[in-house]
């Protein structure tokens, strides 16, 4: 824990050295968010709801999506993206020999506190959507936070699995870009997907659950117990896959030699 605190303090000092960059990042995110809002407002001019999701519910969904993505980008993304290059250059020993948990160090070594402002539009949109529908969250807010944390962990582990493929493949960065593109599906209610696409995006590449599941709990569309069970099973599966890849990858790893 002391190591994590020290790492966060160091990153905070580095990020605050570029305050102008922080401001423009926030401004860019705000403009993008306004564009998304206008898009869905146009869509809902002709319909009152989509699969039980009203316009306010969709705003809650979008807010959840932006919170999830930006928290991940701020915390784990940098470290995960750095692993393939570290493996390629044969520098993994630098982390393996440190007196800390190697996986934790890799995940947190590039925490970007300067992105914290980019989370704010997501919170604003979330609150606005709740106000639109006059939703009183109560205990659902607690369950929502738990579900959102589970989504963040699953999303982080699934990205970590991609980075671990660098033990076997020379270039895996394109896989991250593809996964980022697929995450666009998480902006829309999960009910619009059906057939094989829904099955794939609920299990193998579970992008549609990341924001839809927490949102369903918050707006009262789904039972939180069922969602928790599904997310927990999915988390354990991806955790098992990641640990297996990590252990086998270390065996295959050659280092500089």
């Amino acid at each position: 824990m002391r190591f994590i605190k020290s790492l966060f303090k160091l990153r905070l000092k580095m990020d605050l050295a570029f305050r102008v960059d922080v401001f423009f990042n926030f401004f860019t995110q705000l403009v993008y968010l306004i564009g998304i809002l206008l898009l869905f407002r146009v869509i809902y001019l002709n319909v009152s709801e989509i699969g039980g999701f009203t316009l306010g519910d969709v705003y809650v969904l979008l807010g959840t999506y932006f919170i999830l993505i930006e928290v991940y980008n701020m915390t784990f993304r940098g470290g995960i993206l750095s692993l393939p290059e570290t493996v390629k250059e044969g520098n993994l020993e630098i982390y393996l020999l440190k007196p800390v948990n190697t996986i934790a160090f890799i995940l947190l070594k590039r925490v970007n506190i300067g992105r914290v402002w980019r989370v704010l539009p997501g919170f604003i949109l979330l609150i606005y959507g709740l106000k639109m529908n006059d939703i009183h969250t109560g205990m659902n807010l607690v369950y929502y936070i738990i579900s959102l944390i589970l989504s963040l962990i699953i999303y982080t582990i699934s990205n970590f699995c991609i980075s671990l493929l660098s033990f076997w493949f020379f270039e895996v960065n394109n896989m991250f870009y593809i996964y980022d593109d697929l995450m666009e599906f998480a902006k829309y209610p999960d009910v619009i997907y059906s057939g094989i696409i829904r099955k794939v995006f609920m299990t193998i590449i579970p992008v549609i659950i990341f924001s839809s599941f927490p949102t369903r709990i918050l707006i009262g569309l789904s039972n939180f117990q069922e969602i928790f069970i599904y997310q927990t099973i999915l988390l354990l599966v991806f955790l098992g896959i990641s640990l297996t890849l990590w252990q086998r990858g270390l065996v295959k790893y050659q280092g500089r030699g």
Side-chain angles (χ1 to χ4, degrees):
M1 186 59 69
R2 186 181 304 171
F3 157 73
I4 294 176
K5 288 182 180 179
S6 300
L7 193 60
F8 269 78
K9 288 180 181 178
L10 178 61
R11 287 300 308 182
L12 180 60
K13 291 178 181 178
M14 293 174 62
D15 295 330
L16 290 180
F18 302 95
R19 293 184 178 88
V20 175
D21 184 57
V22 170
F23 169 76
F24 279 108
N25 282 337
F26 174 72
F27 180 74
T28 301
Q29 180 73 357
L30 189 60
V31 171
Y32 176 69
L33 185 60
I34 292 173
I36 291 291
L37 287 176
L38 293 176
L39 170 65
F40 276 98
R41 187 165 289 277
V42 170
I43 292 174
Y44 273 87
L45 286 176
N46 300 313
V47 295
S48 59
E49 64 176 50
I50 300 176
F53 281 77
T54 65
L55 179 59
D57 295 336
V58 169
Y59 285 168
V60 173
L61 175 68
L62 288 172
T64 301
Y65 169 84
F66 283 113
I67 291 170
L68 172 70
I69 293 298
E70 291 305 329
V71 169
Y72 168 74
N73 289 341
M74 180 177 64
T75 52
F76 306 115
R77 181 180 176 86
I80 288 176
L81 291 179
S82 72
L83 179 59
E85 194 66 27
T86 301
V87 172
K88 187 190 303 183
E89 294 176 354
N91 293 327
L92 189 60
E93 292 90 344
I94 297 174
Y95 307 109
L96 293 173
L97 296 176
K98 290 184 180 295
V100 294
N101 182 279
T102 305
I103 294 178
F105 184 82
I106 290 172
L107 292 177
L108 295 171
K109 71 173 184 172
R110 292 192 178 177
V111 171
N112 188 350
I113 302 299
R115 294 184 67 105
V116 69
W117 308 109
R118 302 190 65 159
V119 182
L120 292 180
F123 279 108
I124 294 172
L125 189 52
L126 174 68
I127 294 171
Y128 180 62
L130 292 174
K131 291 291 185 182
M132 278 187 66
N133 287 1
D134 194 26
I135 297 175
H136 302 283
T137 57
M139 277 301 295
N140 281 351
L141 180 60
V142 176
Y143 303 142
Y144 166 83
I145 294 173
I146 295 172
S147 180
L148 186 60
I149 292 173
L150 288 173
S151 289
L152 175 62
I153 295 173
I154 297 169
Y155 184 51
T156 300
I157 295 175
S158 60
N159 274 280
F160 187 53
C161 286
I162 294 175
S163 70
L164 290 173
L165 295 178
S166 59
F167 285 114
W168 291 272
F169 303 99
F170 185 76
E171 183 60 63
V172 299
N173 286 337
N174 288 335
M175 296 184 188
F176 288 114
Y177 301 142
I178 293 172
Y179 200 14
D180 288 343
D181 289 339
L182 290 175
M183 275 299 291
E184 292 292 311
F185 289 100
K187 292 179 181 177
Y188 307 96
D190 62 293
V191 292
I192 70 173
Y193 306 106
S194 60
I196 187 65
I197 293 178
R198 180 176 179 83
K199 291 178 181 178
V200 170
F201 287 164
M202 288 280 289
T203 54
I204 302 173
I205 312 172
V207 290
I208 65 174
I209 77 161
F210 291 138
S211 50
S212 282
F213 274 18
T215 300
R216 282 184 163 277
I217 292 176
L218 191 59
I219 64 179
L221 276 184
S222 296
N223 183 291
F224 74 89
Q225 289 99 332
E226 294 177 357
I227 287 180
F228 283 176
I229 291 173
Y230 190 90
Q231 286 183 302
T232 301
I233 292 174
L234 207 57
L235 188 156
L236 292 175
V237 169
F238 274 96
L239 182 61
I241 293 173
S242 66
L243 292 177
T244 299
L245 290 174
W246 172 255
Q247 292 167 358
R248 293 188 177 182
L250 290 180
V251 173
K252 183 177 177 58
Y253 178 66
Q254 299 295 321
R256 285 185 178 273

